Amino acid sequence: LGYITFDRNDQSDYQARELKSVPIGQACQFLRLVFTSCHANSAQNPLHQVGIVGVRVLGVVIKAEYDQGDMLVDSTSIAVPERISVPVSVESAAQRQPPPAASLPAHIKAELEPRVAGQVDRLERLKRERASVEDYDGAFAIKNSLTTRVYPLLISFKECEQQMKSAAQEEDYAKAAKLKIDRDAKRSQAIQALDFVEEEFASSALGKVVGDL
């Protein structure tokens, strides 16, 4: 993958956060991050620390082959099989990664919280703005993130919520309670994806505007 570098952050008086996205583009089992050094700054960083707000890895489990019997652990050694992948069923993987959606249905968008609907509006507006200045690569990247990462999760969240309400109306409260847990998890997942996509393209759009100037 090579390497990436971070800005010294002195121009923002050390108030900005920097987002780096690194597409891997191939299957992998392990991901290692190595921080060789930090920016030398005795006033702001006297202990020479590296600060990372978070690391998010997005991907799809290709095949589950891990068997607890394949890994033997004793007090002196650890035997690791040649190939280990996360144990997850095809059904649960599909639930976490809904199929792409070309658009967000109007009735679903109308039911979103104002904050979430506002984020969707900003991304859709940014997509149109990039297209209007002939930045078609940028417009495509935003559209692709919306249709593959944001819209599907929002649709799945609202559909689960509707199922929960239907179960409650039918007084199947045990089912409604289970669906409520799923609804809350899907809502959290959708909001995290939306926050990530907005932060990613808001920062890239700012850099594009500065570059155009």
Side-chain angles (χ1 to χ4, degrees):
L1 295 179
Y3 65 92
I4 58 175
T5 59
F6 291 94
D7 188 80
R8 292 183 59 88
N9 206 9
D10 50 355
Q11 294 184 353
S12 67
D13 194 24
Y14 309 101
Q15 299 299 311
R17 292 191 303 172
E18 189 171 2
L19 174 69
K20 292 288 188 180
S21 297
V22 181
I24 297 177
Q26 55 184 305
C28 67
Q29 293 171 297
F30 303 97
L31 179 65
R32 183 175 70 170
L33 303 178
V34 178
F35 303 99
T36 58
S37 63
C38 66
H39 287 303
N41 187 312
S42 58
Q44 299 291 332
N45 190 17
L47 299 179
H48 305 292
Q49 296 174 312
V50 176
I52 303 297
V53 174
V55 176
R56 184 173 301 171
V57 180
L58 303 177
V60 177
V61 176
I62 298 176
K63 188 177 181 182
E65 294 185 353
Y66 173 65
D67 184 354
Q68 290 183 349
D70 292 336
M71 180 174 286
L72 303 176
V73 181
D74 58 32
S75 59
T76 59
S77 64
I78 298 179
V80 181
E82 292 183 357
R83 183 172 182 179
I84 300 176
S85 55
V86 179
V88 60
S89 67
V90 175
E91 180 181 1
S92 61
Q95 289 173 351
R96 289 196 302 272
Q97 189 68 32
S103 62
L104 187 64
H107 72 278
I108 288 183
K109 188 174 183 180
E111 295 177 356
L112 295 175
E113 305 163 38
R115 169 183 170 274
V116 175
Q119 287 179 282
V120 173
D121 286 339
R122 285 193 295 272
L123 283 167
E124 292 177 339
R125 183 169 60 251
L126 182 59
K127 176 191 66 177
R128 293 191 295 269
E129 289 174 353
R130 297 324 305 167
S132 68
V133 296
E134 300 183 359
D135 178 15
Y136 300 122
D137 288 336
F140 171 79
I142 297 172
K143 177 182 177 181
N144 185 62
S145 289
L146 285 170
T147 58
T148 62
R149 294 158 64 182
V150 174
Y151 292 161
L153 291 172
L154 289 173
I155 292 172
S156 179
F157 152 54
K158 297 307 292 186
E159 287 179 345
C160 185
E161 184 174 67
Q162 184 56 50
Q163 293 171 6
M164 178 195 71
K165 291 179 179 179
S166 297
Q169 289 176 352
E170 296 171 1
E171 297 189 358
D172 188 347
Y173 299 123
K175 181 179 179 180
K178 293 179 180 179
L179 287 170
K180 181 179 184 296
I181 295 174
D182 290 343
R183 188 278 309 267
D184 292 344
K186 290 176 183 292
R187 177 183 179 277
S188 177
Q189 189 178 12
I191 290 178
Q192 286 180 4
L194 188 54
D195 288 343
F196 181 81
V197 171
E198 185 177 37
E199 185 176 0
E200 178 182 11
F201 288 109
S203 60
S204 63
L206 179 60
K208 183 69 176 178
V209 170
V210 173
D212 293 342
L213 294 176

